[in-house]
Amino acid sequence: MEGFVNIDRQNADMNIDVRKGMPFDTNSVDFIYCSHFIEHLSHEEAWCFLDESFRVLKRGGKIRLSTPDLRIFAAKYLARDIQFWDSRRWPGKTSADQFNYVLREMGHSYVYDFESLQSLLKSVGFARIQQVPFEASLDNRP
């Protein structure tokens, strides 16, 4: 996409591990889009990634994080919403098996709800934090 740089550890415009920093000048980036990545980092690694993101973003720049919402999964589990769990076709005989699959077996290290992600973002300096709905033009998974 014109004007964007795709960063990943492989098969990208720049093959780097962002947990070790980003090769951009301070205050040089307008927008960071991160889809289904932050939940694969430990809480400490996520803090480092967000701190580095804050460093490279221009004043007024934005970061958009798309990540599973722990609150939704917990609510579906507590409501015993079997249809929700079965519709995902995740392995497991029970909704508890499937909930644990989401939390542990998909490579997730820390699954956030809005409150916990907001707290983490504030801790590195982000100030105007808002939860926004799924946007098909940007996000590949609701």
Side-chain angles (χ1 to χ4, degrees):
M1 180 179 245
E2 186 73 27
F4 285 85
V5 177
N6 182 14
I7 299 173
D8 208 328
R9 290 193 306 182
Q10 59 187 13
N11 302 322
D13 298 329
M14 295 180 75
N15 298 318
I16 60 172
D17 185 343
V18 296
R19 294 174 299 179
K20 299 175 181 172
M22 290 187 238
F24 301 111
D25 293 334
T26 300
N27 301 319
S28 65
V29 174
D30 293 308
F31 182 70
I32 295 173
Y33 175 68
C34 181
S35 178
H36 292 269
F37 168 68
I38 198 164
E39 68 271 15
H40 295 276
L41 303 177
S42 70
H43 198 261
E44 181 180 328
E45 289 171 329
W47 188 93
C48 292
F49 165 70
L50 292 173
D51 187 53
E52 181 69 355
S53 297
F54 188 78
R55 179 190 70 79
V56 302
L57 278 169
K58 292 178 182 176
R59 183 171 174 88
K62 294 181 181 183
I63 185 169
R64 182 178 177 98
L65 304 170
S66 178
T67 186
D69 186 340
L70 178 61
R71 195 171 298 268
I72 291 172
F73 289 106
K76 295 294 187 181
Y77 173 74
L78 291 173
R80 299 188 176 277
D81 187 342
I82 304 302
Q83 184 178 357
F84 169 82
W85 295 103
D86 286 350
S87 70
R88 301 308 190 265
R89 296 192 179 121
W90 290 316
K93 294 180 181 177
T94 69
S95 56
D97 293 338
Q98 293 169 317
F99 191 19
N100 275 286
Y101 177 78
V102 169
L103 295 178
R104 311 285 300 159
E105 302 298 326
M106 295 176 78
H108 295 159
S109 293
Y110 196 102
V111 180
Y112 298 87
D113 63 2
F114 178 70
E115 181 182 31
S116 61
L117 190 53
Q118 181 181 41
S119 175
L120 185 61
L121 287 160
K122 283 181 178 180
S123 75
V124 300
F126 287 98
R128 295 185 327 170
I129 302 162
Q130 62 185 145
Q131 186 173 19
V132 296
F134 172 77
E135 186 176 320
S137 67
L138 286 175
D139 303 322
N140 61 353
R141 293 181 253 181

